[in-house]
Amino acid sequence: MRFKAMTAVAALMLAVPGVVSAGPDDDKLVINGEIEMTTKAPVPEHMEDTNMDQIMSGWHFRSDETQALEMDDFDNPGMIFVDAGMEQWNTVEGSEGNSCASCHEDPSSMKGVRAVYPKWDADAEEVQTLAMQINDCRENNMGAEPYGYTSGQMANMEALISLQSRGMPVDVAIDGPARETWEQGKELYYTRTGQLELSCANCHEDSYGMMIRADHLSQGQINGFPTYRLKNARLNTVHGRFKGCVRDTRAETYAPGSPEFVALELYVASRGNGLSVEGPSVRN
Amino acid sequence: MDFTRRETLVIGGATAVAVTLPMPAMASAVDEKINEFTGGADVAEGGVELDAPEIAENGNTVPIEVSAEGASAIMVLAAGNPTPGVATFNFGPLAGAQRAKTRIRLAGTQDVVAVAKMADGSFAKTQKTVKVTIGGCGG
Amino acid sequence: MAEGVRPRVKAPKSAEAGEVVVIKTLISHKMESGQRKDSDGNVIPQSIIHRFVCAFNGETVLDVEMHPAISTNPYFEFEATVPEAGDFEFTWYDDDGSVYEDKKSVSVG
């Protein structure tokens, strides 16, 4: 009880200055003094019926100290996991005697990939996320065990692949065969869940820039994933974050890798069309 | 600003709790650590720089920087942590400056203390309060 | 040896004799504080890197005594004087007895 009461008063005291300076900042994200990132962009056409005037990376909602961690690749602890991903890339696993490098050579061959995922896979006749594609490769081309969907190894590999597209605009397709999945994702985005009856939109469309207790609500963009969070000091995957968010509405969550979260990922990714791929980013 | 009835109740209640809370035992633990470091010598205020954010977004990773020109060592303590020790930087003959940055854990809003042992054997101390915010979403 | 511990060091490859250079180090490590409990309520024992040393050609630049309040994936930034060509040696000491090392050569001139 004591702790809870203290927490409440601390949150209030801290929220007060926060309210005064509410709203995202206007800082510029330049990484290593040379890679200029697009962290604010016009609202994609499909969101014109929202009241948003621009889309913004979650980077703008963080403190200067947290922002600085992403501005230099050495200061960014997420890069440790890119190194780990590089080792995985070159490691032969499975019955076929292949590593990622056996077919794809250098990871730079993955340039542009992160920017367009999730995307329709004509052979599988479904929308696939980057994680699904990685595991498809492992199972079918390497004869290896799939990574756990939100495992550390998966996050490492996603970080390595995302880095190759860093600075490129997110550009997921929402028309053609992907449309149905996208519509399903949109439906989920606006559906209230849990005892708190909150939809994604309640926080991340209607209330971004405001404080939720002492935390600054972002637009919930996923262009920066996988993201190194100060909270748990490791890389976090998109579906891991979705799960945490839905759980916080006090709902039973969908499982990482489920068709629902795949659809939601496609839809949320499309809300960031035009922002730079930032992964691995740093957030609180 | 306007407080709702519920907010006012919470503030009132929390204030009452706050004044009856025992002081953290850490005050003495910090003094003990400083005594250990100084051997009981006098400690002057100032002469050592401590840079830390006024508000830390997450207590798990708080960037700090300490410096004291000519110091042979700087000890950093976190007065409100379960144990106050953070780090002691011992500068060798090839230190380019008596300055170091690191990232630390703070269990809550508290004072961070830096004590420097100067080249002449004297000691200098400074401290800074860092507010640690409580996140909105556990997510 | 704790699993997956990997050091990263950023140091210049060349310098002028006597130049002061900035060095950054990062090492992946959980820095288990000894304050956490597992799902059964048992305290997870402390397991941290408790000391970091940077030396140049055997002479000390910085020697840090570390406590559990140092964040996961410990990071240090500091300055070093490069008196002559040689090697920076970086050493991290783990509670479990493991020692992690890295080395960066610097040319002068």
Side-chain angles (χ1 to χ4, degrees), chain C residues 8-96:
Chain C
R8 299 185 93 213
V9 171
K10 187 177 181 180
K13 290 189 171 61
S14 64
E16 300 296 321
E19 190 180 338
V20 171
V21 300
V22 173
I23 293 179
K24 297 180 180 184
T25 69
L26 188 65
I27 188 163
S28 55
H29 197 283
K30 281 186 77 136
M31 296 292 281
E32 189 63 58
S33 66
Q35 300 292 335
R36 299 199 309 161
K37 288 178 178 170
D38 64 18
S39 50
D40 296 329
N42 302 313
V43 172
I44 305 171
Q46 175 179 321
S47 179
I48 65 168
I49 292 174
H50 60 267
R51 187 182 175 206
F52 163 72
V53 179
C54 170
F56 185 83
N57 289 348
E59 195 158 13
T60 305
V61 175
L62 182 68
D63 188 337
V64 189
E65 177 192 322
M66 298 158 68
H67 297 280
I70 295 290
S71 300
T72 306
N73 305 326
Y75 170 92
F76 292 113
E77 180 185 322
F78 52 93
E79 293 172 36
T81 306
V82 179
E84 73 251 339
D87 296 325
F88 277 112
E89 299 120 22
F90 306 90
T91 318
W92 292 260
Y93 298 88
D94 196 312
D95 278 348
D96 70 5

Side-chain angles (χ1 to χ4, degrees), chain B residues 5-98:
Chain B
R5 194 181 69 94
R6 177 176 290 193
E7 282 166 335
T8 311
L9 281 173
V10 166
I11 291 172
T15 310
V17 171
V19 293
T20 56
L21 269 181
M23 286 301 288
M26 289 311 138
S28 58
V30 167
D31 290 344
E32 235 169 71
K33 288 288 257 187
I34 294 176
N35 269 333
E36 219 174 274
F37 186 66
T38 60
D42 286 345
V43 179
E45 285 292 327
V48 50
E49 300 286 325
L50 168 64
D51 191 17
E54 191 185 332
I55 299 177
E57 207 160 29
N58 191 299
N60 253 344
T61 312
V62 182
I64 62 153
E65 177 173 358
V66 289
S67 61
E69 204 180 332
S72 60
I74 303 177
M75 177 175 70
V76 181
L77 302 172
N81 275 1
T83 55
V86 176
T88 302
F89 300 93
N90 296 289
F91 300 100
L94 287 186
Q98 286 69 43

Side-chain angles (χ1 to χ4, degrees), chain A residues 107-172:
Chain A
S108 61
S109 64
M110 293 289 121
K111 188 177 166 75
V113 169
R114 169 78 270 181
V116 298
Y117 269 82
K119 74 172 205 183
W120 180 257
D121 183 300
D123 293 335
E125 295 191 332
E126 63 178 3
V127 169
Q128 292 206 330
T129 61
L130 185 57
M132 289 162 77
Q133 184 61 60
I134 289 167
N135 271 344
D136 184 53
C137 243
R138 287 182 62 80
E139 291 182 280
N140 298 318
N141 301 331
M142 295 168 70
E145 288 291 314
Y147 292 142
Y149 200 93
T150 57
S151 64
Q153 285 187 307
M154 180 63 86
N156 297 344
M157 187 56 72
E158 288 182 331
L160 175 68
I161 293 173
S162 298
L163 184 65
Q164 313 307 318
S165 303
R166 194 167 61 173
M168 294 174 71
V170 174
D171 185 20
V172 297

Side-chain angles (χ1 to χ4, degrees), chain A residues 2 5-10 12 14 16 61-63 65-66 69 75 77 212-215 229-232 241 244-245 247-248 284, chain B residues 1 3 7 10-11 13-15 17-18 20-22 53-55 57-58 60-61 63 103 109 131-139:
Chain A
R2 261 183 198 165
M6 289 289 283
T7 304
V9 82
L12 273 175
L14 290 165
V16 173
F61 297 84
R62 302 278 55 95
S63 71
E65 290 81 15
T66 308
L69 293 177
D75 292 345
I212 183 164
R213 295 178 69 196
D215 206 352
R229 294 188 67 191
L230 305 183
K231 169 199 156 89
N232 54 18
R241 192 70 188 86
C245 238
R247 188 200 56 214
D248 285 349
N284 64 324
Chain B
M1 69 182 286
F3 286 107
E7 282 166 335
V10 166
I11 291 172
T15 310
V17 171
T20 56
L21 269 181
E54 191 185 332
I55 299 177
E57 207 160 29
N58 191 299
N60 253 344
T61 312
R103 299 168 184 165
T109 295
K131 292 177 186 143
V132 175
T133 64
I134 298 120
C137 290

Side-chain angles (χ1 to χ4, degrees), chain A residues 201-257:
Chain A
N202 290 145
C203 286
H204 297 293
E205 180 175 302
D206 303 338
S207 311
Y208 68 85
M210 295 169 71
M211 306 300 286
I212 183 164
R213 295 178 69 196
D215 206 352
H216 202 184
L217 270 176
S218 75
Q219 289 185 351
Q221 296 286 356
I222 57 173
N223 60 305
F225 277 82
T227 188
Y228 184 91
R229 294 188 67 191
L230 305 183
K231 169 199 156 89
N232 54 18
R234 61 174 171 81
L235 283 183
N236 294 258
T237 63
V238 172
H239 288 206
R241 192 70 188 86
F242 283 171
K243 188 178 163 185
C245 238
V246 176
R247 188 200 56 214
D248 285 349
T249 73
R250 300 189 188 162
E252 284 286 334
T253 82
Y254 300 106

Side-chain angles (χ1 to χ4, degrees), chain A residues 3-26:
Chain A
F3 178 73
K4 276 193 180 159
M6 289 289 283
T7 304
V9 82
L12 273 175
M13 290 191 313
L14 290 165
V16 173
V19 167
V20 175
S21 62
D25 67 15
D26 290 322

